Structure formats: structure tokens, C-alpha cells
Amino acid sequence: MTRPSAAHLIAFLLPATLLAGVWGAQLLGGLYPCEMCHWQRWPHYAALVLAGLGFFVPAGRGRTALVVLAALAIGVSGAIGVAHAGVEYGWWPGFTACTSTIDFTGLDPSQRLAAIMRAPLIRCDRAPWTLAGISLAGFNAILSLGGAITILVLMMRRTTR
């Protein structure tokens, strides 16, 4: 096996780091995700799998394809982050209703109603945390789109040499 390229490492480490950050914020910081937050995670999971598979594929077209697909998945997450940040900042209306953290498994209707009334609603149009006015969705947009562009530029440089 040949050594992974910088683009390949970024394609693996960027979604791994972003997912670790949001899971840490959720599990340790109590910042529960809304539905649009979950939408941003799925492409990162896909990118992580694609880039991870690239470590087991010999260098060449197969690995290149996996890294490019991972970059595209990261870019999709960034695009969803733009949409979500726009909803949070009030630039456009949201695409979804608010979500909750309720598990209805095994609950009868009266227990479901009681659970709904106790559970916090996680609104897609309110940022639960910001840094310098940038929400987690905004940071995902910046880092994911920047990372996807960086990966693709590095991949193009490799193929033109």
C-alpha cells in the first residue's frame, strides 16, 4: 500500500473531527440536534466510510474515486449547513418542523402525550450555541465547503502532474 495523500487524509479526518465535535456537544454539552442538524451528519458518515475504504484500496483510480466521492459528500453536508444557517439567521424559512428527543416505543397514547409535554423541542430556526455569531451549522458550512474544495483542488493537482 502506498502512503495516503494529503487530500485523502483531509477527506477522512475532517468528517471524523466534525462528527466527534457534534457528538461531544450533544453528549457532553447537552446540545441536542434538530432535524436539519441530523441531515448534516449523514453525508459526513458517508464521507468517513468512503475515505476509510480508501485506506484499503491500492493507489490508483479506485482510491481516487473514493476520495473524490468523500469530498462531494463533505460538500453536500456543507451545503445543508448553509441552508440550516440561513434558517437560523432568518434569511429564509425552514424546511422542516421542530423535532424532539422522545422515544415512543412501548408507550400508550396518554404516556406519549405526557412524554411530549415533558420533552424539549429542538428548533431548527434557533442556534443553541454560537461563537462570534457563527452557529454550529455555520461552522459546518464553512469547514465542510472549504474542506471539500481543498480536497478537490489537491486531487486535481495530483492528477495533472
Side-chain angles (χ1 to χ4, degrees), residues 7-158:
H8 189 179
L9 291 173
I10 294 169
F12 183 78
L13 294 174
L14 179 63
T17 302
L18 291 175
L19 286 168
V22 296
W23 274 104
Q26 179 179 337
L27 298 175
L28 302 174
L31 296 177
Y32 293 101
C34 71
E35 189 171 353
M36 292 181 79
C37 294
H38 283 293
W39 294 353
Q40 293 170 78
R41 292 181 186 191
W42 288 107
H44 282 305
Y45 294 133
L48 198 57
V49 169
L50 291 164
L53 286 173
F55 291 114
F56 301 101
V57 174
R61 288 186 184 183
R63 184 185 294 178
T64 298
L66 289 169
V67 173
V68 168
L69 288 172
L72 294 175
I74 292 166
V76 167
S77 180
I80 297 168
V82 169
H84 189 188
V87 170
E88 290 174 336
Y89 299 134
W91 297 339
W92 44 74
F95 306 103
T96 182
C98 298
T99 57
S100 181
T101 58
I102 303 170
D103 180 10
F104 289 118
T105 308
L107 299 179
D108 66 43
S110 65
Q111 291 172 320
R112 289 180 185 188
L113 180 59
I116 289 169
M117 298 308 290
R118 286 191 312 270
L121 282 178
I122 313 303
R123 297 185 53 148
C124 293
D125 63 348
R126 299 283 185 258
W129 179 89
T130 61
L131 177 65
I134 303 172
S135 67
L136 288 173
F139 277 110
N140 180 54
I142 293 165
L143 295 171
S144 293
L145 291 174
I149 291 167
T150 300
I151 294 164
L152 293 173
V153 166
L154 290 170
M155 293 302 290
M156 285 191 302
R157 284 186 182 168
R158 269 186 82 159

Side-chain angles (χ1 to χ4, degrees), residues 1-6 59 63 158:
M1 288 279 178
T2 60
R3 201 175 108 213
S5 66
R63 184 185 294 178
R158 269 186 82 159

